[in-house]
Amino acid sequence: MMNESSKQETEKPTGSIDIKRQTSNLRYRWLWAEPSIWTDKMLAALDNGVKGGKWFSIIDKVYRPKTLKAAWKKVEANKGASGVDKQTVERFQANEDEYLTEIHEELLRDSYEPSAVRRVYIPKEKGKMRPLGIPTVKDRIVQTAAKMVLEPILEKEFLDMSYGFRPGRGAKDALLRVDRKLQEGYTWVVDADLRSYFDTIPHERLMNKVKRYVSDRSFLSLIEKWLSQNIMDEASEWVPTSGTPQGAVISPLLANLYLHDLDKEVVEAGYEMVRYADDFVILTKSRDEAIKAATIVMEWVEANGLEIHPEKSHIGNCMKEGQGFDFLGYRFECGTRWVRQKSIKAFRDKIRAKTRRTCGQSIKSIICSVNRTVKGWYQYFKHVNKWSMEVFDSFVRRRLRAILRKHNKRPGFGLSFRDHKEWPNLYFANLGLFSMAKARELENACRPRCGN
């Protein structure tokens, strides 16, 4: 007969297994969170909620040497240009232990001050330029460390319908959700565009939103310092009064936080919204519902210091010609989706840049470079029809034939039947050129067998 002590001994491992299983499940759900910061104890507090709903002491997690080391490894992997101090990732790498110790001590003494953000411009459509901020390597490390601490706290609050700049989520997931809702009959769409969103977020309102979840003064001070970092544009320098610098590590997380209240308001009103950063659509089953949803958005945007771009926003039934909408590179209209013109132009520009007739490289080297662009393009846009893929493939081969004409001291333009005969599609396939149409065909052929 089993005595009481024997029972306790046999029961103890069962309880221990349950605790281990719960811990394992918790760790799996937060697999992306930095383990040197988010220990099992921290994750349990995150899952169960902290006293008062606010995190009181987290700055020590930021300046911890292990955190800074993990942050540096992320910055190192991302590479990127130098900031105003002209220190490159490679230069930091040469003395990383010394520099990381320096950052640790500055944060510990509360003497850390970020440098100015170097502003550069990248081209947009119609000859416009988009401003991009480049913080120093040092500031990128501190921002990454702060992000690794703050992100799980905010992720616990964020809703399922937002996809941009979130761990384990991406544009493809957002597009699949849009497809699914359209198939369910949510064909009336509120397509809204926020004017210069990242540059117009009000600082005070943003900080009030951060303070809902964090009350650590030193940590809050860090974010305030980044929001008020000087912007250096060639010879001029100024302090921004609104916005989060595009290019800063912490900016996408803060931008998602600012729109979180809009997410909640729309969802609580019963509407289906899909948001990727500041690009979002609301899907309804009727015009009246779309108008009501649009009113909610307009009122919230105005009350929160933002502005809707009137020329890039509309309400329409996307099943009707001319009333479709653009979202994440695709055009949705009349029950189908295809690559929007802006995205097609971006693809052609990238291919043109890699296939200049005067580049002086061998055709094999050029094809190797082109393949990286084409494969990435295919992975994102492979859901469009095969005919579109054939058009893109044809454009690439036409550019390559022009190079071959140049190599043969013939004019690079005016391609003819002779060119197709001399360099047929098979010629490029044998050189390893990736064909989007062929890849699509193979995937479609495989799909029925994979489903059995």
Side-chain angles (χ1 to χ4, degrees):
M1 185 173 179
M2 187 179 292
N3 59 31
E4 193 64 31
S5 62
S6 298
K7 284 184 180 180
Q8 290 175 354
E9 285 176 7
T10 57
E11 288 172 1
K12 187 176 180 181
T14 305
S16 177
I17 290 170
D18 288 342
I19 292 170
K20 286 182 179 179
R21 186 179 293 118
Q22 290 171 10
T23 302
S24 176
N25 290 338
L26 187 60
R27 173 60 62 188
Y28 180 78
R29 283 192 285 115
W30 294 96
L31 195 61
W32 55 269
E34 173 56 42
S36 66
I37 302 169
W38 291 96
T39 61
D40 293 342
K41 184 179 179 181
M42 286 275 288
L43 289 178
L46 182 67
D47 213 42
N48 298 325
V50 291
K51 187 177 179 181
K54 293 185 179 183
W55 292 77
F56 288 88
S57 181
I58 56 176
I59 189 64
D60 60 308
K61 312 297 187 296
V62 177
Y63 62 64
R64 185 183 294 166
K66 279 187 178 180
T67 304
L68 294 174
K69 186 76 169 182
W72 155 241
K73 289 303 174 185
K74 289 179 182 289
V75 172
E76 183 182 31
N78 290 334
K79 299 190 183 297
S82 59
V84 294
D85 62 356
K86 298 184 179 179
Q87 184 182 52
T88 62
V89 169
E90 291 75 21
R91 278 180 58 195
F92 192 98
Q93 191 178 49
N95 294 289
E96 61 180 78
D97 291 337
E98 179 185 336
Y99 289 134
L100 290 174
T101 299
E102 202 174 277
I103 294 171
H104 164 74
E105 290 175 353
E106 285 184 10
L107 290 169
L108 184 63
R109 296 194 305 265
D110 202 21
S111 62
Y112 163 78
E113 291 293 336
S115 303
V117 174
R118 181 167 70 90
R119 173 160 286 190
V120 297
Y121 295 88
I122 55 176
K124 288 176 62 178
E125 73 279 5
K126 298 179 181 178
K128 296 181 180 178
M129 303 296 284
R130 182 192 301 277
L132 184 69
I134 303 178
T136 62
V137 173
K138 174 182 174 180
D139 290 339
R140 297 205 294 267
I141 292 169
V142 182
Q143 286 193 19
T144 301
K147 178 175 179 279
M148 291 193 300
V149 174
L150 181 62
E151 191 167 30
I153 296 171
L154 299 184
E155 271 294 319
K156 187 175 183 292
E157 306 298 324
F158 289 163
L159 302 186
D160 191 48
M161 37 62 62
S162 72
Y163 293 87
F165 306 108
R166 295 185 60 188
R169 291 166 163 260
K172 291 181 182 178
D173 303 307
L175 291 165
L176 286 173
R177 184 162 181 149
V178 169
D179 274 334
R180 187 166 63 249
K181 290 303 171 185
L182 292 175
Q183 290 167 13
E184 292 172 2
Y186 292 82
T187 57
W188 278 89
V189 180
V190 179
D191 180 16
D193 185 278
L194 296 173
R195 192 196 294 269
S196 302
Y197 172 60
F198 278 83
D199 293 330
T200 57
I201 299 174
H203 288 173
E204 186 176 353
R205 288 192 175 117
L206 174 59
M207 287 306 304
N208 287 337
K209 293 176 189 289
V210 178
K211 289 173 184 176
R212 290 181 195 167
Y213 309 104
V214 175
S215 61
D216 186 316
R217 290 184 181 180
S218 296
F219 187 91
L220 293 171
S221 175
L222 272 183
I223 295 178
E224 287 173 338
K225 286 176 180 178
W226 290 323
L227 292 177
S228 59
Q229 273 179 279
N230 283 15
I231 305 293
M232 186 173 288
D233 186 350
E234 294 182 353
S236 60
E237 188 172 347
W238 71 94
V239 178
T241 56
S242 64
T244 60
Q246 293 189 57
V249 177
I250 199 78
S251 288
L253 180 61
L254 297 177
N256 269 334
L257 172 62
Y258 199 79
L259 290 180
H260 175 58
D261 287 341
L262 174 62
D263 297 346
K264 289 197 299 182
E265 195 154 329
V266 172
V267 170
E268 287 169 2
Y271 296 110
E272 293 287 343
M273 181 162 82
V274 182
R275 181 171 69 79
Y276 190 94
D278 59 330
D279 193 0
F280 61 89
V281 292
I282 301 174
L283 306 157
T284 70
K285 290 188 174 181
S286 70
R287 183 175 182 274
D288 287 345
E289 286 181 317
I291 292 172
K292 289 176 183 176
T295 301
I296 290 174
V297 172
M298 293 292 290
E299 290 176 352
W300 188 92
V301 166
E302 185 176 349
N304 284 271
L306 303 175
E307 186 180 353
I308 292 285
H309 200 305
E311 296 174 6
K312 296 183 180 180
S313 306
H314 84 289
I315 295 173
N317 183 348
C318 69
M319 297 304 290
K320 295 183 178 180
E321 188 175 352
Q323 294 190 37
F325 63 97
D326 293 338
F327 188 61
L328 300 180
Y330 281 95
R331 176 74 181 175
F332 292 82
E333 195 168 306
C334 298
T336 62
R337 62 161 150 149
W338 61 87
V339 185
R340 63 175 181 169
Q341 289 302 313
K342 182 179 174 182
S343 301
I344 293 173
K345 182 181 181 301
F347 172 76
R348 289 174 177 265
D349 287 346
K350 285 180 181 178
I351 296 299
R352 286 191 184 101
K354 292 187 173 189
T355 55
R356 293 189 177 94
R357 292 185 301 122
T358 56
C359 67
Q361 297 177 347
S362 69
I363 196 70
K364 282 189 177 182
S365 297
I366 294 169
I367 286 174
C368 183
S369 176
V370 163
N371 275 349
R372 288 193 288 271
T373 297
V374 174
K375 286 178 180 178
W377 175 270
Y378 173 75
Q379 284 302 317
Y380 190 81
F381 289 105
K382 64 182 178 181
H383 298 290
V384 299
N385 57 55
K386 184 185 173 186
W387 177 84
S388 296
M389 296 296 185
E390 289 173 346
V391 171
F392 299 141
D393 283 342
S394 178
F395 174 76
V396 173
R397 288 191 295 264
R398 188 163 66 248
R399 295 288 301 180
L400 293 174
R401 287 188 181 103
I403 292 172
L404 290 169
R405 288 174 67 96
K406 176 73 173 178
H407 288 178
N408 284 269
K409 302 191 183 324
R410 286 154 50 190
F413 302 100
L415 300 178
S416 64
F417 175 75
R418 175 187 169 187
D419 299 316
H420 285 269
K421 187 175 180 180
E422 188 170 350
W423 304 298
N425 296 354
L426 184 60
Y427 171 84
F428 296 108
N430 289 336
L431 287 174
L433 179 65
F434 181 82
S435 167
M436 290 187 276
K438 186 65 176 177
R440 177 69 181 274
E441 185 181 311
L442 290 172
E443 280 200 20
N444 288 343
C446 174
R447 196 167 290 123
R449 289 198 298 273
C450 294
N452 290 338

